[in-house]
Every structure is written in structure tokens, then in C-alpha cells.
Amino acid sequence: MDKTGQKWHKFLPRAALVGSLLKHCKDHLQIRQELREFMNEMKKDSQKTQEDLKDEDSVVREWYIRRKSNAASVGLTHRDLLMRHQENEVCHICRKEFEACEEQYPCRICDKVFHKDCVLSLKELHPSHLTAIKRANTSVGWSCPECDDLSLLLKEKDLQSIIDTFDEEINPKGGQITFEEFIEYKKKQYGRHVTEDERKQFDLEFRLVDTDGSGTIDWWEFLNFQAKTKIASREQAELVHLLTEKEVMMAKIAFSRLDINNDGSITEHEARKVFDEYFSRLNISDGRKNTGSETYAKHALERAMSLDVKEMGSVTWDEFLNGQAQYIIAVRPNMTELK
């Protein structure tokens, strides 16, 4: 590995380590202070690394874990994106090349590829990866431990706010939030008792946060869920810069499917045609036509055209990407099947 590669190889494990350190920062102020100092040190290292690499070519720069992309590759299909591996690919953990007989486990968010055993041998690995990694080579995909961890994108004050909420407002017994404790937390937020309909809504929210389906929400799951809210409050342009090359490519594919005449913008007529055709194909379990397809298509159309911030009657690529960035980032964490 050349000197530039050594710089990145030295930096990236420090970023990955933040996730592990966060899990131990809940009970003691001293540990929280250590976390702040560690994050400040990591930021300095990151800035220095970027300064060192500013004159390097694009291939070297692509090593950056959360790089900005110009989405130059428009013609890739979804399958092309999932199966696109470089020659002489190496496992991001053990740094060994894959043998011809070895299966590669690519991250659906970044360009890193792994041995399954290397991932499962990581310390402090969240249990959800035990099943999620099996989807790495399917159309669903799998997010590696770094991309699965939205806390790496948090600012220090936002991280501290989440820590305080978990420790002081919820303060779960045994360190994991039960559904009843989750309801009590919601009551505090609302300042009143919740209705039966709200309770059903919170039940769905609880299951969405409980990504490993264990019936309780651990610190890691709570952190990722709250991180989505914090990240969504940032400026759109800032969120776009956080997107990876793969994420921008997938957004470009979605945009291209709506832009029927390929003129670089999506009109209401184009979006309606695509959504009407898509939702009309959806059938309920007994085979009858889905009577709600028109409603679904209408809502999808409204969401798509709401991205027309300049009110020109069509959605440009920049408007589309800016409006979708927060949702693209929000679905990075691996999800379990709702039961």
C-alpha cells in the first residue's frame, strides 16, 4: 500500500471506532468527556487527511468513506450497481484479496466489500448484522457496520442531546427500552395520555426502531433512530454532500425512470403516468384489483411534485436529489422484517 493509502487505512478505523465508543458513554460523565475529546481528535485527523489528499487524483479520493459524487454513471441498472465489483477486490477488514471460490459481501451504501466471517468477528457488532448480512447479494442489500451507524454523521451537540434523552428522560431499566417505557416517554413528550389510535401508531414506530426484532430498543437502535431526526433538520445541500456514489446513482436511476422524455426534468404528466402504471399492477392477496391504487398513485404524485421548489411546473435533477437526500440517508441502517 502506498503512503496515501496508508493515511486512509489509518484514519478509517478511527471513524469506525466511534460507534463502539458511543455504546459505553451512557452512565458516566467521565466517559462522556472522553468521547468529546476523542471526537475532536478524530475531526482534526479528518481535516488533516483531507488536506493531505487535496492534490491527489480522483481514484485516491474515492477512498473517502462518505464522499460527494457527481453521479456521472447514469446508465447503470439496479442490478449493475449491486454486482459492480472491481478486479483484485480486497476485504475491507482483513485486507486480503478474494479467492475465486469466496463469496463477496458488498455494502449497498459504500464501495467496501467484506468476507462474511470478518464482519461477524467484529467486536461490538450489533446483532442485526447476523441476519442482515445474508441479504448483501439480494435486491434488498446490506449496510456495512460503518454505513449502518448514522451516529458517525452527528454533530457533538446532537449526540449529547440523544444521550441525555436516553439517560435522563427515558432511563430504561436494564439499559433497554420496553414498549411500556416507550409509551411513557411519548406521554412526556405530548404532556398527556395518548389515545388508542396514537398507541397503535407508536407500536409501529417502536417496531421500526427495534431493528433486530428483539422486542426491546437498545441504545444502538435508539441512537440511530434519533439520529435520523437530527440529520433531517440540516440544510438540504449539506445532506447531498453526505451521499455516497452508490446512493446518488440509485437516485439518478429513479429520476431517469420518471423523466420519460429524458429532457432533464420531471413533469406532472410524466410522474402521473409512471405512478398510475406502477400502482395499477399492485394486487391484494386474493388476486383482486387493488382498489386503493389510485389513492397511492395520487399521494406519490403529490410527493414527487412537491420537490418543484422553483414552481416551474417540473422537477429538475438538483431539486429531486436535494429533496430526497434526507430520506436516502434515513434508510441506510439495516431493517428487520416487521412481524
Side-chain angles (χ1 to χ4, degrees), residues 22-220:
L22 289 174
K23 297 183 68 175
H24 301 284
C25 70
K26 303 187 297 296
D27 300 317
H28 305 290
L29 290 175
Q30 180 179 355
I31 296 180
R32 292 184 183 179
Q33 181 59 34
E34 291 175 357
L35 174 63
R36 294 190 186 98
E37 293 173 356
F38 182 88
M39 291 184 69
N40 288 333
E41 183 181 352
M42 190 194 73
K43 290 175 183 177
K44 292 178 182 178
D45 285 350
S46 176
Q47 292 170 354
K48 184 178 185 304
T49 302
Q50 292 183 58
E51 180 66 23
D52 290 341
L53 293 178
K54 69 178 182 179
D55 296 324
E56 298 292 343
D57 60 33
S58 59
V59 175
V60 175
R61 282 188 164 288
E62 285 184 359
W63 290 15
Y64 188 39
I65 186 173
R66 301 198 182 277
R67 60 192 172 284
K68 175 184 175 181
S69 172
N70 60 5
S73 303
V74 176
L76 288 176
T77 65
H78 184 58
R79 183 171 179 80
D80 290 330
L81 200 58
L82 288 174
M83 302 306 292
R84 187 171 64 108
H85 297 318
Q86 301 175 2
E87 294 182 4
N88 301 321
E89 193 78 74
V90 299
C91 172
H92 182 71
I93 297 176
C94 69
R95 312 306 298 176
K96 295 180 180 179
E97 291 188 10
F98 289 91
E99 300 292 338
C101 61
E102 290 182 316
E103 185 172 9
Q104 301 180 23
Y105 288 80
C107 174
R108 66 183 177 89
I109 306 299
C110 65
D111 282 340
K112 296 189 292 294
V113 184
F114 303 82
H115 288 114
K116 180 180 178 180
D117 289 343
C118 289
V119 173
L120 299 183
S121 67
L122 292 173
K123 294 182 178 179
E124 304 294 348
L125 183 72
H126 193 272
S128 62
H129 285 281
L130 297 176
T131 55
I133 195 172
K134 298 177 182 178
R135 302 192 291 265
N137 290 300
T138 70
S139 59
V140 176
W142 160 75
S143 298
C144 72
E146 291 177 11
C147 294
D148 184 53
D149 180 10
L150 294 184
S151 69
L152 293 176
L153 305 180
L154 288 176
K155 298 177 180 178
E156 184 179 355
K157 64 177 182 179
D158 292 332
L159 172 60
Q160 185 62 58
S161 174
I162 296 174
I163 293 172
D164 291 340
T165 298
F166 190 89
D167 282 353
E168 299 169 13
E169 293 187 42
I170 303 179
N171 191 21
K173 297 178 181 179
Q176 301 207 4
I177 305 172
T178 64
F179 179 65
E180 290 305 321
E181 288 174 325
F182 189 73
I183 292 297
E184 289 301 316
Y185 167 57
K186 289 297 183 179
K187 288 180 180 179
K188 291 180 182 179
Q189 285 187 315
Y190 280 58
R192 59 171 172 78
H193 289 287
V194 298
T195 66
E196 189 60 31
D197 286 341
E198 289 171 337
R199 189 180 180 90
K200 292 178 180 178
Q201 176 186 336
F202 297 149
D203 175 65
L204 175 59
E205 183 178 331
F206 183 88
R207 287 185 288 148
L208 288 171
V209 183
D210 178 23
T211 56
D212 64 357
S214 66
T216 59
I217 298 173
D218 61 28
W219 161 244
W220 199 245

